[in-house]
Amino acid sequence: MITTDLTPGSPCWLDLGTPDVTTAASFYGTVLGWEYESMGGSEDFEGGMFKKDGKTVAGLGKLTEAGARSAWMIYYTVDDADATAQAVERAGGTVRVAPMDLEDWGRMAQFNDPLGGQFAVWQPGTNSGFELADETGSLSWTELYTSDAAAAKEFYGQIFGWQYSEMELPGGGGTYTLITPAGKPEDRMQGGLMELPAENLALADGKPYWHPVFNVDDCDAAVARVTGNGGGVQMGPDDAEGVGRLAVCLDPANADFVVLKPAPPT
């Protein structure tokens, strides 16, 4: 369960880098019921905020990095962004964006894990991150696809102190690793990681990548809105026992995300 309580090592923010802000704003507005608020004077400025029921759920910005693919960036809460940057380098990762202040909102940094998976951290100031999580139209899970699960667990364990547990996927699909913030009970699981062959990671040219999972009221209806508005589907909709009905989707710029109708509580 993802919350907004600022537990270190838990997701607190996400933003989308896209080549076309206007198209992305319209797409996610239709698919997830988000309202877009530009931070500039026009709809196609550099970016803005997505809101759901008046609460901030994510950010949107113009993709400016040469050669970069459109993708969601997930941020994790830390007490000290500078200390985290040092820990990343000691553990074999690299600093993509050095720790920097965003006015008095907080301090951010972006990193690559040792195999190239991108993630970010947020040291809260006056802004703690998103205002809605684990509800319809908001982030409910994070997921890493990687070619080396053991290396990923070692690296992120060093950085965030995450706790791991394993579950076998049905039909001999391999092992899925569940992630819980340090010191929290299993009902606070916030994400998972899964090992896949590098050739199955074509979206990121064989490198690992994180993607967000968004709760929806109706998975099939959400998928219809995805495909009807310029997006695509990589997998599903499928039922996952004890999880719910889900589909792995692509937006019009090929940024990947998952829509999930959670299974009813038992």
Side-chain angles (χ1 to χ4, degrees):
M1 179 181 182
I2 293 176
T3 74
T4 57
D5 68 359
L6 298 185
T7 295
S10 66
C12 64
W13 184 247
L14 70 165
D15 54 37
L16 174 66
T18 182
D20 188 333
V21 169
T22 301
T23 296
S26 176
F27 175 82
Y28 288 99
T30 300
V31 172
L32 296 173
W34 288 351
E35 305 92 32
Y36 174 64
E37 291 187 1
S38 174
M39 296 180 70
S42 64
E43 278 293 304
D44 61 353
F45 187 65
E46 288 300 314
M49 302 293 181
F50 283 120
K51 294 194 172 186
K52 174 71 174 176
D53 300 327
K55 295 181 178 180
T56 304
V57 291
L60 176 64
K62 182 86 169 182
L63 189 65
T64 57
E65 185 177 347
R69 78 177 185 98
S70 181
W72 284 98
M73 179 71 73
I74 300 172
Y75 292 71
Y76 297 92
T77 297
V78 294
D79 293 326
D80 187 328
D82 296 83
T84 302
Q86 295 169 12
V88 165
E89 292 184 316
R90 286 196 302 269
T94 56
V95 177
R96 296 185 63 249
V97 178
M100 59 182 289
D101 291 325
L102 297 182
E103 299 181 347
D104 60 351
W105 291 358
R107 191 164 175 81
M108 62 82 72
Q110 295 183 359
F111 308 111
N112 288 350
D113 69 24
L115 293 177
Q118 298 182 1
F119 68 104
V121 298
W122 180 252
Q123 177 186 329
T126 60
N127 189 304
S128 59
F130 46 55
E131 298 172 333
L132 187 70
D134 210 43
E135 301 286 348
T136 299
S138 67
L139 184 71
S140 64
W141 193 253
T142 65
E143 192 167 62
L144 173 68
Y145 289 166
T146 180
S147 57
D148 191 334
K153 288 190 286 184
E154 175 67 21
F155 173 77
Y156 289 102
Q158 290 185 50
I159 303 308
F160 296 122
W162 285 345
Q163 303 166 141
Y164 302 116
S165 56
E166 311 295 331
M167 63 176 285
E168 293 301 315
L169 295 172
T175 301
Y176 191 83
T177 299
L178 299 160
I179 299 167
T180 304
K184 294 295 181 180
E186 287 195 346
D187 64 5
R188 283 295 306 275
M189 283 179 183
Q190 65 191 31
L193 64 88
M194 183 176 177
E195 184 169 302
L196 296 171
E199 57 266 25
N200 289 2
L201 304 175
L203 271 182
D205 297 324
K207 296 177 182 178
Y209 57 90
W210 288 93
H211 60 207
V213 178
F214 300 117
N215 270 11
V216 293
D217 286 332
D218 185 324
C219 180
D220 294 76
V223 167
R225 293 193 295 272
V226 168
T227 57
N229 288 276
V233 179
Q234 285 192 304
M235 184 194 77
D238 292 318
D239 293 314
E241 185 178 355
V243 176
R245 189 162 176 81
L246 58 88
V248 182
C249 301
L250 299 172
D251 72 14
N254 279 343
D256 54 303
F257 64 100
V258 176
V259 290
L260 168 68
K261 165 62 176 176
T266 57

